[in-house]
Amino acid sequence: VKLDLNDRLSDHEPINIILSEDVTGNTCKKRRAEKKTGFRQFDFKNADFEVVSEKIASVDWKALRKSSSFEEFPKLFTQELFNICKSELQISKEHCQRPKALNTLRRKRVRVEKKLKNLADGNIGKRNALEEKLSKIYLDIRDTPAVMATLR
């Protein structure tokens, strides 16, 4: 995308952005294909940080610094931390979650179903309105990109 700095941008003018990738769909298949590398592969959420801290404290950082040049030290430092993480942390599991929009619609559906179930028999107008709302929610769930991707 080229942007001429001489162009005047205003918050009153619409800006159109075209994305070359479907960002609304389920990206789980893509994430499974991409392996996590580096520090991102480790499960820090369930780490025993006391053990990791002890390992970090046991490294002779001054000796490591003296044994390497100023340019090499950051790489050695990072490698040493990576080795500690590799020895003490587990690899994180790949979690495939449903998109937020789909979860929101499903929660909304459950709320409307509960209201419909608890509604008294004499209130036909409200029952019809809730049934219409529920049918719209079912259509919205069916038309979400994540559900459409599974139907293909």
Side-chain angles (χ1 to χ4, degrees):
V1 175
K2 288 187 176 182
L3 178 65
D4 186 8
L5 295 177
N6 294 329
D7 290 343
R8 301 264 189 239
L9 292 178
S10 170
D11 61 347
H12 300 284
E13 296 293 325
I15 297 173
N16 293 325
I17 299 173
I18 299 172
L19 301 174
S20 62
E21 188 173 329
D22 179 20
V23 294
T24 60
N26 192 349
T27 59
C28 292
K29 291 178 185 174
K30 293 176 190 174
R31 281 190 276 149
R32 282 188 195 127
E34 298 172 1
K35 291 280 185 183
K36 289 183 180 179
T37 58
F39 288 98
R40 293 185 65 210
Q41 68 182 320
F42 300 119
D43 184 11
F44 287 99
K45 185 175 164 185
N46 297 315
D48 185 1
F49 287 106
E50 289 179 13
V51 174
V52 174
S53 295
E54 288 172 10
K55 287 269 190 166
I56 291 172
S58 70
V59 175
D60 189 2
W61 296 107
K62 290 181 182 180
L64 185 66
R65 171 64 191 105
K66 288 179 182 179
S67 68
S68 61
S69 69
F70 187 74
E71 291 81 18
E72 294 173 333
F73 180 70
K75 186 175 180 179
L76 291 173
F77 176 82
T78 304
Q79 187 61 44
E80 190 65 35
L81 285 179
F82 183 80
N83 291 338
I84 291 170
C85 290
K86 191 174 180 180
S87 69
E88 297 302 323
L89 302 177
Q90 294 180 350
I91 304 294
S92 64
K93 296 176 184 173
E94 189 64 37
H95 298 287
C96 184
Q97 298 176 348
R98 293 181 179 133
K100 288 182 181 181
L102 182 58
N103 286 339
T104 302
L105 286 170
R106 288 183 176 174
R107 285 191 301 272
K108 193 178 209 180
R109 180 194 69 199
V110 169
R111 283 194 305 267
V112 172
E113 286 173 343
K114 283 181 183 177
K115 285 181 184 178
L116 195 57
K117 183 180 175 183
N118 295 332
L119 193 64
D121 292 332
N123 202 340
I124 295 171
K126 190 160 186 163
R127 177 174 295 281
N128 289 341
L130 285 174
E131 286 175 348
E132 185 177 327
K133 188 174 184 179
L134 190 60
S135 65
K136 286 180 182 178
I137 293 171
Y138 276 117
L139 290 174
D140 289 342
I141 289 173
R142 185 195 70 192
D143 294 337
T144 56
V147 174
M148 295 300 287
T150 60
L151 296 175
R152 291 181 194 157

